[in-house]
Amino acid sequence: MQFLLFVPLTFVIAPVFAVERSSGMDNLILSSRNGRRKIVTAKLLSVLAASTVVVMLYLAATFLLGFLPHRSFHGWDAAIQSIPAYARSMFQFKVWQLAAVGAVWLIFTSAVYSLIICFISSRMKSQMGAAGVSLAILFVNVGLAAMGDTVTQRFGALVDFGLANVTLMKEVFGGYKGFNVFGMCVSYPVMAVFVLTVISVAAAFGTYRGQRNRAAV
């Protein structure tokens, strides 16, 4: 269901750099007295804020639609291992704790995807082009995750840390999966945070670099 959230999020964020670049206004804006760094930083912070608001609205709607038919919090104190999808989970969460962690995780992964869209938007001259490339990346991730074990094993890292799997709570927190990093066993959630953080930093850095190249001298 989170992909129903990512699709509109794509169209909200895609214009943030592409519209100005398509009209040539970015050269003028980036050379204003506010400076390139301040303008790009303000845009990235605005994107992260917009992403958080959209996700919070999505979570509120999901909670209300899931709660109102039952009007009861019965079972919220149960261990998550009582849920079939989390029977093998190594985390000793209660159901309400899992829901809270899931909300934070969705906000985090949506922020990462938003920064990726920003990078794409900063390199495109068309709003629809930026949206199209972003959606293509999203759907390729979904396609890889939906394929059989042969593809999953061949493209293990792309599948494990692709948006299709890394945004799903049951994939990240529902079992025990570890990665051998320099002889140490690192759990999937820790590796996911590390990989997504690296991707976020790279996307933000790439956005800054792209806008610096566009600034008028």
Side-chain angles (χ1 to χ4, degrees), residues 19-37:
V19 167
E20 292 170 358
R21 188 171 185 188
S22 64
S23 63
M25 285 296 294
D26 58 339
N27 285 327
L28 178 61
I29 294 173
L30 293 171
S31 301
S32 67
R33 66 178 183 177
N34 289 323
R36 173 189 58 85
R37 182 172 297 177

Side-chain angles (χ1 to χ4, degrees), residues 176-208:
Y176 184 81
K177 181 185 291 187
F179 297 86
N180 190 337
V181 181
F182 302 115
M184 298 183 296
C185 183
V186 182
S187 66
Y188 188 5
V190 173
M191 278 299 298
V193 170
F194 174 76
V195 171
L196 292 179
T197 300
V198 170
I199 292 174
S200 300
V201 172
F205 179 75
T207 302
Y208 277 106

